[in-house]
Amino acid sequence: MVRCTPYQVENIVKTSQFSLLMPNSKPTEPETYLCTTIRLDENNTYYITGFDPQADMGTAHHMLLFGCKEPGQRETLFSCGEMGRTLEGTKQAAPCRSGQQILYAWAKNAPKLDLPRDVGFKVGGPKADIKYLVLQVHYASVEYIPEEGDK
């Protein structure tokens, strides 16, 4: 889960949450790196103010959330590890084609992260440097992934 605060207008701030989940990914081998891309709204600016990871170190070794000007692929799911395995049926690319920024990193069952008051990562909106979010998951094990895939 990612917590976002829309751009502040006239001291009115609304906080909302949105889920940034893997789209039922089914890696078949350990050491697979998979990414999913989310295009951000070009008309509204948001500030990411917290992260609530929904992962377990029994499956995921680590996760990285990238902010990109241009994603490595515009596919819902793609292989994105230079040292990992490529999932059959997916394209291979780096997480970002341009403007790569790491916004968040998670590993080893780390707890949720709330940024300090009045602090956030600016994403989306007109003339944004970050137009896409890309979530990368390094799957250390595939033993516990449900039949319908990982979210």
Side-chain angles (χ1 to χ4, degrees):
M1 299 283 254
V2 177
R3 220 170 11 267
C4 285
T5 303
Y7 189 73
Q8 186 170 346
V9 179
E10 297 178 12
N11 294 322
I12 298 172
V13 177
K14 177 183 173 191
T15 301
S16 58
Q17 292 187 7
F18 71 93
S19 297
L20 178 56
L21 304 172
M22 295 305 286
N24 295 326
S25 60
K26 292 185 182 181
T28 55
E29 299 179 82
E31 303 307 320
T32 300
Y33 289 72
L34 295 175
C35 284
T36 188
T37 301
I38 303 294
R39 183 183 178 108
L40 296 165
D41 187 342
E42 294 179 13
N43 297 315
N44 292 301
T45 301
Y46 297 94
Y47 292 90
I48 298 175
T49 60
F51 304 91
D52 189 5
Q54 305 294 306
D56 183 85
M57 70 183 208
T59 300
H61 179 268
H62 70 268
M63 296 186 302
L64 296 174
L65 180 62
F66 293 91
C68 309
K69 191 164 209 162
E70 193 66 36
Q73 288 288 330
R74 292 179 188 238
E75 309 291 323
T76 303
L77 186 69
F78 64 98
S79 295
C80 57
E82 294 176 7
M83 300 181 300
R85 309 203 188 286
T86 300
L87 179 64
E88 187 176 332
T90 64
K91 295 179 180 178
Q92 172 73 32
C96 299
R97 183 172 297 146
S98 68
Q100 177 174 300
Q101 299 179 46
I102 296 176
L103 303 179
Y104 177 70
W106 172 93
K108 303 280 186 178
N109 288 346
K112 73 178 188 169
L113 172 66
D114 292 315
L115 297 176
R117 183 174 173 81
D118 298 327
V119 174
F121 294 101
K122 182 179 178 181
V123 299
K127 300 179 184 177
D129 287 334
I130 298 176
K131 296 180 180 191
Y132 295 84
L133 296 177
V134 176
L135 176 63
Q136 179 191 66
V137 178
H138 170 198
Y139 290 94
S141 171
V142 296
E143 292 179 42
Y144 306 109
I145 294 176
E147 184 70 27
E148 66 274 7
D150 181 44
K151 289 186 180 185

